[in-house]
Amino acid sequence: MNKFWFAIGFLVVGSVPLHAAGGFAISLSNTDFVVLIAFIVFIGAIIYFKAPKFVAKLIDSQIAQIERQLKEAADIRSEALVVQQQLEQKQSQTAELVKDLKSQADQGKELAIKEAEVVIKNTIERKIQNAREQLIASEAKAEKSIRDQAVDLAVNVAATIIQDNMGGDDRRNIISRSIQDIETRLN
């Protein structure tokens, strides 16, 4: 505190504006002296009411608040980095899942194509087999029809020949035997 009073005394005595007034330097009519006294009183009041400590406390509280905000920002940043890493992991997992699903889809597609080829091949073979069976059946039917027509023609020719060359009873006997012979051979 002694230094404070010494500084005030030095300011009062050694002040250049006090001598510039041209009269008695320490007087209330000297405006420079009055301003100097008001300034000293103001500085004294600031020191007496501990304004520097109050300002220091305000500055310290602002510093503490800024430090809290910086810490919160750092925490948020670290949380954001963790979330970013998690998202990157999920993204890579999703990419792998998509790759696996695509691979499975490709395998499924190839399997479906192979199964379709087998089904188509079997269907074609069945249709070919059915066509062969129908062809064989048609050939057999045509052969039977031709045989039936040949038999009918042979019987008619034989009947005409017999009718022209034979008498009544002989004709009947030969026709009956011929018809029986033909029926037994055909069956």
Side-chain angles (χ1 to χ4, degrees):
M1 209 52 153
N2 288 335
K3 291 181 184 179
F4 172 71
W5 290 114
F6 176 73
I8 290 176
F10 178 74
L11 286 174
V12 169
V13 174
S15 151
V16 173
L18 293 176
H19 297 292
F24 188 63
I26 302 176
S27 167
L28 290 178
S29 60
N30 184 352
T31 55
D32 291 336
F33 178 70
V34 172
V35 170
L36 177 65
I37 295 297
F39 180 72
I40 293 171
V41 169
F42 176 73
I43 297 294
I46 288 176
I47 293 172
Y48 179 76
F49 291 114
K50 300 178 183 177
K53 289 183 181 178
F54 178 73
V55 171
K57 284 181 185 178
L58 285 177
I59 292 173
D60 288 343
S61 68
Q62 287 293 325
I63 289 172
Q65 184 179 3
I66 291 171
E67 286 175 349
R68 280 194 309 272
Q69 289 175 349
L70 287 174
K71 185 178 183 279
E72 289 175 7
D75 292 343
I76 290 172
R77 183 173 187 263
S78 65
E79 289 175 8
L81 289 174
V82 169
V83 169
Q84 180 183 7
Q85 289 173 349
Q86 290 173 347
L87 290 175
E88 287 174 354
Q89 286 176 346
K90 286 182 181 180
Q91 184 180 13
S92 66
Q93 290 172 351
T94 303
E96 289 178 22
L97 180 64
V98 167
K99 185 179 176 182
D100 291 342
L101 289 175
K102 184 178 178 189
S103 173
Q104 289 175 1
D106 289 341
Q107 290 174 353
K109 178 181 77 172
E110 291 175 14
L111 183 63
I113 289 172
K114 288 178 183 178
E115 289 176 357
E117 288 175 350
V118 169
V119 168
I120 290 171
K121 183 179 176 184
N122 290 340
T123 303
I124 290 172
E125 288 177 0
R126 273 194 311 249
K127 289 194 178 214
I128 290 172
Q129 184 63 30
N130 287 341
R132 284 181 184 158
E133 290 173 0
Q134 288 177 354
L135 182 62
I136 291 171
S138 296
E139 286 177 354
K141 188 176 181 182
E143 285 178 17
K144 184 177 185 285
S145 175
I146 291 173
R147 264 192 242 140
D148 289 344
Q149 288 177 0
V151 168
D152 288 342
L153 185 62
V155 168
N156 287 338
V157 170
T160 306
I161 292 174
I162 292 173
Q163 205 174 27
D164 290 343
N165 294 335
M166 298 199 160
D169 287 335
D170 290 332
R171 274 191 247 166
R172 287 186 201 117
N173 288 337
I174 291 175
I175 290 174
S176 299
R177 268 189 280 150
S178 295
I179 291 173
Q180 288 175 356
D181 285 343
I182 290 172
E183 286 178 356
T184 23
R185 287 184 186 171
L186 290 177
N187 292 329

